[in-house]
Amino acid sequence: MDHFQYRDGELCAEAVPIRRIADDVGTPFYCYSTVTLERHYRVFTEALTGLDALVCFSVKANSNLAVIATLANLGAGADVVSGGELKRALVAGVPADRIVFAGVGKTTDEMAAALKAGILQINVESAPELEMLAQVATSLGREAPIGIRVNPDVDAHSHVKITTGKRENKFGVPLADARELYRRAAKMKGIRVAGVAVHIGSQILTLEPFREAFRRTAELTQALRADGHDIRWVDLGGGLGIPYENETPPTPAEYGALVKSVIGPLGCRLILDPGRLIAGNAGVLVSRVLLVKAGATHDFVIVDAAMNDFIRPTLYNAHHAIVPVRESADGAVSKEVEVVGPVCESGDTFGRTRRLPAIAGGDLIALRTAGAYGAVMASAYNTRPLIPEVLVRDDAYAVVRERISVDDMLARETLPKWLATGTRAKRKAGR
Ligand SMILES: *Cc1c(COP(=O)(O)O)cnc(C)c1O
């Protein structure tokens, strides 16, 4: 359920017509709905009622400060995977003791920043990382609260690029090695064992992989307690899928019931780090049609957004509904077209065979379910600068990230000395 609906024939974000934003801000841009973000967060937390659970929004899904702050206001923590995301979470107002730091490779600077901030838990993914962290913590005179991320060897049956819990993946410590690593951790200066962590992938559409991963994690937790470790936190990761096309993922209530039955009996405090579930359907990507080009086999609708702005269709073959911003009249003739961006790659396509009503240059379209892994994965390929992000709340909207200009981009580049004097490049650059 989201709050991007037609009103009087115009697609709106809550009570704001998308067209109005497009006219003010220009295209392309990302548009997020506050009410949708809040609703998804509430539905998820309510599904966990009765558990001592902390929901840490996975910042990598959508790391805009305003999005993080919206969720932080409701009490959300943050799951971060870099020093940059840690800083974002802190700046957005997430209390340090609600931040968890995950990821397979952290620099010593990132570790130090996390320790100085005093975050809740650092999830460690290997023995060498544990040793690095112990060193950093000792040199700062601190103790690092750690969880060890285990790899439960469970197939999430998701896209190969977002499956993380199989033994051949780079993530986590094999279950069979976990007890030994905890034994070592418990003896290390600068390390305090706090929890166990698991995360098996993203866009998971059935409960079974979760059930299996949680079962194995529960077993391990009991074994670790029997070994004398004080395991207070179990971090179950994120990964619950959402509908993009006609998928029917488990509901948060079903997921919550599973967590209760498998993990509840441990009596631990829980961390859950959903990303996509919170942000995915809370955002759209709005783009303007440049022109319609007749191809040899089908027509191409060429739009001003491209794979650099939104890479999910190219990277994961992801399906995103494409809808016209002006609602098509009932019974309007529709035609099968391919919607593509202007980037010089054949992979720069948003939908190969889409039925769209008669559409022409100047029309606006929206790609739905673009709130997660959208803006955060953008690049500036083809010298196409990063596009704005807009947050709507009821009948108001705010630009929460400005459009970057080409001049901003060029200002960060300099010519080396041997090119900078009296050359053609210098004269051209006008420097
Ligand atoms: C990416 C990630 C998540 C979020 O996954 P979603 O599928 O967006 O819910 C949660 N935890 C960890 C450790 C992650 O790396």
Side-chain angles (χ1 to χ4, degrees):
M1 161 79 204
D2 64 47
H3 293 262
F4 297 96
Q5 306 291 337
Y6 290 103
R7 291 189 184 190
D8 301 327
E10 281 287 325
L11 186 66
C12 292
E14 301 186 23
V16 183
I18 296 275
R19 179 177 309 281
R20 208 178 93 208
I21 307 174
D23 288 344
D24 294 353
V25 174
T27 55
F29 63 93
Y30 281 97
C31 179
Y32 311 129
S33 152
T34 299
V35 176
T36 312
L37 286 168
E38 292 180 342
R39 188 189 130 82
H40 290 169
Y41 176 79
R42 288 213 178 93
V43 168
F44 190 75
T45 48
E46 275 160 24
L48 303 166
T49 311
L51 291 165
D52 187 359
L54 173 62
V55 175
C56 291
F57 174 58
S58 181
V59 166
K60 76 172 187 287
N62 186 321
S63 57
N64 187 282
L65 285 177
V67 169
I68 305 172
T70 298
L71 297 166
N73 277 347
L74 302 181
D79 167 68
V80 302
V81 294
S82 72
E85 286 190 357
L86 170 63
K87 190 158 206 178
R88 279 181 180 279
L90 291 168
V91 169
V94 180
D97 63 2
R98 292 189 186 186
I99 298 178
V100 178
F101 194 164
V104 68
K106 306 169 189 78
T107 67
T108 52
D109 283 350
E110 289 175 323
M111 291 173 176
L115 291 169
K116 285 181 190 155
I119 70 169
L120 174 63
Q121 184 168 304
I122 301 178
N123 289 337
V124 168
E125 300 210 15
S126 63
E129 188 187 24
L130 183 64
E131 274 152 29
M132 267 170 74
L133 181 59
Q135 263 180 21
V136 175
T138 328
S139 73
L140 292 172
R142 297 187 187 238
E143 226 176 24
I146 64 130
I148 292 177
R149 173 165 171 186
V150 292
N151 182 325
D153 192 21
V154 168
D155 190 348
H157 297 292
S158 183
H159 189 278
V160 61
K161 287 180 184 156
I162 49 173
T163 291
T164 59
K166 290 200 68 182
R167 54 202 282 263
E168 63 267 32
N169 299 136
K170 69 179 173 183
F171 298 98
V173 171
L175 265 184
D177 304 343
R179 281 172 82 176
E180 171 57 23
L181 195 55
Y182 272 98
R183 226 187 315 275
R184 284 171 59 189
K187 288 194 220 128
M188 279 184 188
K189 204 163 169 289
I191 297 290
R192 176 169 56 81
V193 170
V196 177
V198 71
H199 171 73
I200 55 170
S202 197
Q203 186 56 8
I204 299 168
L205 293 171
T206 62
L207 284 182
E208 289 323 305
F210 289 118
R211 191 191 311 280
E212 198 47 38
F214 295 172
R215 208 180 52 70
R216 292 180 193 187
T217 306
E219 251 176 46
L220 173 69
T221 305
Q222 279 165 334
L224 292 172
R225 284 180 162 168
D227 290 346
H229 302 291
D230 181 16
I231 305 293
R232 305 231 173 130
W233 291 96
V234 176
D235 181 345
L236 294 177
L240 189 54
I242 60 173
Y244 283 93
E245 193 172 6
N246 41 29
E247 304 90 337
T248 49
T251 63
E254 289 165 338
Y255 176 87
L258 174 71
V259 172
K260 265 176 229 178
S261 76
V262 183
I263 301 289
L266 294 174
C268 279
R269 305 188 69 185
L270 299 184
I271 301 168
L272 295 112
D273 17 289
R276 189 188 307 270
L277 182 83
I278 307 288
N281 272 307
V284 297
L285 169 62
V286 180
S287 181
R288 201 177 281 280
V289 176
L290 295 173
L291 53 92
V292 179
K293 171 177 169 176
T297 56
H298 55 278
D299 288 355
F300 295 96
V301 173
I302 302 177
V303 300
D304 65 0
M307 63 184 279
N308 70 294
D309 304 306
F310 188 47
I311 204 168
R312 295 196 72 259
T314 308
L315 188 60
Y316 309 121
N317 280 322
H319 178 96
H320 286 265
I322 302 175
V323 297
V325 166
R326 188 186 306 287
E327 193 172 20
S328 49
D330 275 350
V333 221
S334 65
K335 202 172 168 185
E336 208 154 82
V337 293
E338 178 169 357
V339 180
V340 300
V343 160
C344 309
E345 303 255 354
S346 293
D348 181 25
T349 178
F350 289 135
R352 287 222 149 79
T353 48
R354 296 304 179 91
R355 284 217 157 269
L356 280 178
I359 208 157
D363 289 350
L364 292 169
I365 58 153
L367 276 79
R368 288 185 161 278
T369 318
Y373 306 105
V376 286
M377 294 182 95
S379 79
Y381 185 38
N382 280 205
T383 306
R384 296 170 47 87
L386 296 184
I387 64 177
E389 295 172 273
V390 171
L391 181 65
V392 169
R393 182 166 172 269
D394 193 17
D395 59 359
Y397 79 85
V399 174
V400 292
R401 186 181 68 191
E402 279 177 32
R403 191 182 302 281
I404 289 171
S405 74
V406 172
D407 285 339
D408 292 337
M409 290 172 72
L410 295 189
R412 282 162 201 280
E413 297 179 30
T414 46
L415 293 170
K417 263 209 301 264
W418 62 90
L419 289 176
T421 41
T423 62
R424 226 177 116 75
K426 188 192 171 195
R427 285 199 300 277
K428 280 218 158 161
R431 297 181 189 196

